[in-house]
Amino acid sequence: HDTDVRHLRDPAFLTGALEYRTARILYTLSLRLRKHTPKLGSFHAWNKCLNHVLALANAYIESVILKCFLRASEGCIDSDCRQSLKAMADLFALRCIEGDMLFRAPIGLVNPGSLNVYKEYLLSAGFDV
């Protein structure tokens, strides 16, 4: 797991990480629905998995927001504004990744031991914006 700041700010890594997270949540939701549907029926299995459905919706929306941020930063003419938009996009994506590391089981995107590197970067980058 690479914890270099350039890697943390790489748009390909950030979008890939959030897309992977979305795919992983979708996969686990499908497993839960398959598990509960035979016993409870489709309606009650869906209701039992609503927290998972909401997590999937949030993960998807966060990946869309990141892509919009990155498009806006790439299309910005003013270099100072472009740097600020890119820094905000990085902060947003890293906050999403950090939230997953803290509140869900690690999903293999980053080494849990590198959380301190992320936190230090988030603090320093937050002051730059």
Side-chain angles (χ1 to χ4, degrees), residues 63-80:
S63 68
V64 170
I65 290 170
L66 176 63
K67 289 175 188 175
C68 290
F69 252 132
L70 292 173
R71 262 194 311 254
S73 69
E74 290 168 2
C76 188
I77 297 170
D78 181 16
S79 64
D80 290 337

Side-chain angles (χ1 to χ4, degrees), residues 87-98:
M88 285 189 282
D90 296 343
L91 288 170
F92 175 76
L94 291 173
R95 187 217 36 95
C96 294
I97 293 169
E98 180 188 28

Side-chain angles (χ1 to χ4, degrees), residues 14-22 56-72 89 92-93 96:
L14 296 172
T15 55
L18 294 189
E19 288 173 354
Y20 176 80
R21 177 181 67 144
T22 302
L56 175 62
N58 285 329
Y60 175 73
I61 291 300
E62 288 172 349
S63 68
V64 170
I65 290 170
L66 176 63
K67 289 175 188 175
C68 290
F69 252 132
L70 292 173
R71 262 194 311 254
F92 175 76
C96 294

